Amino acid sequence: MRLGIIGAGYVGLTTGICLASLEHEVYIFDMNKDKIEKIKDKKLPFYEKGLQEILENVISSRDLIPENNLDNLVKQTDGCFICVGTPTKNNSIDLTQITSSIKSIVESIKQNSKKDYKIIIRSTIVPNTSKNVILPILEQSLSDLGFGLAVVPEFLREGSALDDFMNPDKIVIGSMNHETESFVKEVFDHFQNECEFIETNLESSELIKYTNNAFFSMLISFSNEIANVSETISGVDPYQVLKALVSDKRITTKIDNKKITPSLDSYLIPGCGFGGSCFPKDVQALLDYANNNNISTPLLKAILEINSERPNKMILLAESILGTLKNKKISILGLTFKPDTDDLRSSPALDAIRLLIKKDVKISVFDPIIKSKIKLKELPEQCNVCFSIEDVLTDSDIALVFTKWKEFKLLNSDFLKKFMKNPVIIDGRGFLNSEKFDPGSLFRIGRS
Ligand code: UGA
């Protein structure tokens, strides 16, 4: 099929590359001409495991065609995915990019007299956005030519986006009519026998996406709330408490006497909190939707409140260990919001650094994926950026781990002693092996 992608960000480019590798002819447009040039040069503008190689292939084979001209994209295709950003502005979802891209496409559709062009929303939009915002624009301008509208959310995790796209557990297709649904099913035909197709209306599809992200962020905040309780009870380890929960047979099932634990158990670990461009933004947008519609959602509110306290929890623990942080050298290990990505958006490490700066400390930072300071525009200038674990630990009074990078798994007390003034480390992700550390040198939040 000949398809368009509007927006060559993380979602759009991943979707475009993957669809092109499934033998569709995909045109990709972005307002940012530099980005399109980069893609033409076969350079992925962000890091995502495995994607660079496929980008090279699909550009060489001309299955993915970077395009600066929207009219041309519409002319060449029968439908397009809208993959523009839906950021948060004043605690509400900002739909500016959605409305402006829809308006531009409408103009191109009219320009090309394209009949029944299909518009597929891949961006995350709050319930009723299709009905109240997008459909009226399309109806007003395209009633003569006809059109189709669908909401087909993505469920890609940064760091495993390629695998998530190629091995989906579901494809959710919310559409305005049967014809549009059939069009989208054909796009994803490759997966027909491999995963569940959930065919529904536009509004349900919008809500399914939020429900997914709210659920997983709720698990993280739930774990952190249990950790808050456990830290007041002497001798309780919240990691053990949550592990016991996971072994409940309603979570961990037994098949042929073999225990099967779903990977949601990794969201049931207390720590420094969730970040990224999705969980915080999407829970906030759903909460705002509820507030605007007079729906009481104390649980959604609590997810964010609990999470916003987590970076400070790391600092409070450091203070309880060292007495005061004043003039101490603090090492920050991991800046990205999770491993296998170079994404710093809503990173708990950056939140903690902003709080630490007010405490008159010396801060050194290191992240295995950050190879140059250019990427670190958001980082306060007071931070000393290091490019090795050895450097970041040198002469340090305490190390705080914010990202579950595999590189940090190698840490142990002997290593810390070689470089640190005081070989003490706080594991904000609960993944370091306590057996490798001397008693009193590895700390986790939530333990009394
Ligand atoms: C999230 C969802 O998981 C995807 O299904 C969704 O498509 C995406 O948002 C989106 O809306 O576009 P992502 O933000 O990449 O994907 O990351 P996750 O791996 O779910 O991590 C989110 C946060 O939870 C991170 O801060 C991470 O450190 C934390 N996390 C993640 C955990 O605490 N434990 C985990 O096991 C995984």
Side-chain angles (χ1 to χ4, degrees), residues 154-156 158 209 213 220 266-267 275 278-279 337-338:
E154 50 82 23
F155 299 96
L156 312 175
E158 289 188 28
K209 168 70 190 190
N213 279 358
I220 298 173
S266 62
Y267 292 85
C278 305
F279 282 3
F337 81 99
K338 66 176 207 180

Side-chain angles (χ1 to χ4, degrees), residues 341-382:
T341 173
D342 59 358
D343 199 342
L344 297 170
R345 286 176 288 179
S346 297
S347 153
L350 293 191
D351 286 342
I353 288 169
R354 286 182 204 108
L355 294 170
L356 278 170
I357 291 216
K358 297 184 191 144
K359 296 200 176 262
D360 229 353
V361 295
K362 292 182 209 113
I363 305 170
S364 290
V365 303
F366 168 69
D367 189 287
I369 208 162
I370 312 282
K371 303 274 189 260
S372 90
K373 290 186 189 181
I374 301 160
K375 181 81 196 155
L376 300 172
K377 276 179 254 150
E378 300 164 52
L379 200 65
E381 57 182 21
Q382 291 93 329

